[in-house]
Amino acid sequence: MMSADNDKISIEEIHKEIDLIQACITRMAQNSFVIKGWFVSIYAVILALLPERVNMFLLCISLVAVNVIFWYLDGFFLRTEKIYRKIYDWVLAERPQNNRELMYQLNPLKFKGKIEEVESIWTVMWSKTLRWFYLIPLVIVIVVYIFESWPILFKIMSRTPLTLTPLP
């Protein structure tokens, strides 16, 4: 039979567990940083390697797709980081009370109902920092597309015959 002293969670065990959780938090923050770097790089490569004549619709669709995909991934990593921060707080509150439940568990889904709910990916995507980082390039792409296709839109709205010249 175990004595009460053997059943008590040692400070070393608590430190090891919070170190593991802190490593997850650091990894999620690093992933978010890397995603931003890849986003800027891919945008720059797409724009730098443009041929002289380009289909503006395909270019804009490509840039919008890159923007939305990376915006979502960044929101996912930041939300996951917030979940690990809640787990960290939960462990600091529960381990000193000898609660061994979910000890060394790093799967955030296992903590559902144990930690307070974190906002959705959509809400994180629209946070101040992510909103401006991804929304400004998106708005620029849309505005450029509208101004580039304005003559076509004007002809369509004025119901004049539309003549398109083929690309060489």
Side-chain angles (χ1 to χ4, degrees):
M1 191 165 185
M2 297 179 94
S3 68
D5 288 340
N6 291 342
D7 203 24
K8 188 166 172 74
I9 299 174
S10 71
I11 196 75
E12 291 83 19
E13 287 178 294
I14 295 172
H15 280 201
K16 182 60 179 170
E17 186 175 17
I18 61 174
D19 285 347
L20 291 171
I21 296 168
Q22 185 60 47
C24 292
I25 292 169
T26 303
R27 189 168 51 247
M28 293 303 123
Q30 181 65 28
N31 288 345
S32 177
F33 179 77
V34 169
I35 285 292
K36 287 178 181 74
W38 274 99
F39 169 72
V40 171
S41 299
I42 290 176
Y43 244 63
V45 166
I46 289 173
L47 295 175
L49 298 178
L50 285 178
E52 245 180 71
R53 295 186 51 85
V54 66
N55 183 333
M56 282 303 289
F57 179 73
L58 290 178
L59 173 65
C60 290
I61 290 296
S62 300
L63 291 174
V64 167
V66 166
N67 201 304
V68 170
I69 289 167
F70 280 87
W71 195 355
Y72 175 83
L73 284 173
D74 205 353
F76 169 80
F77 286 126
L78 286 179
R79 180 179 185 270
T80 306
E81 179 187 340
K82 288 181 179 199
I83 292 171
Y84 278 115
R85 288 181 187 279
K86 298 283 186 188
I87 293 171
Y88 185 93
D89 293 339
W90 184 86
V91 166
L92 288 180
E94 295 294 321
R95 296 300 179 241
Q97 299 171 4
N98 281 336
N99 183 349
R100 289 189 177 272
E101 184 181 12
L102 301 171
M103 189 117 178
Y104 296 114
Q105 179 60 255
L106 296 178
N107 182 352
L109 298 176
K110 301 281 186 178
F111 284 87
K112 195 168 182 95
K114 306 269 185 245
I115 59 173
E116 65 183 72
E117 200 62 34
V118 176
E119 60 263 16
S120 68
I121 293 175
W122 179 256
T123 305
V124 173
M125 285 172 63
W126 285 95
S127 66
K128 286 181 192 176
T129 53
L130 292 187
R131 175 180 43 209
W132 296 116
F133 185 82
Y134 291 100
L135 194 59
I136 289 172
L138 187 63
V139 168
I140 290 171
V141 167
I142 292 169
V143 167
V144 166
Y145 178 73
I146 289 171
F147 279 113
E148 284 292 319
S149 61
W150 183 253
I152 295 172
L153 293 174
F154 184 72
K155 286 184 179 184
I156 290 171
M157 289 187 300
S158 65
R159 296 182 189 254
T160 57
L162 181 64
T163 57
L164 295 175
T165 57
L167 290 173

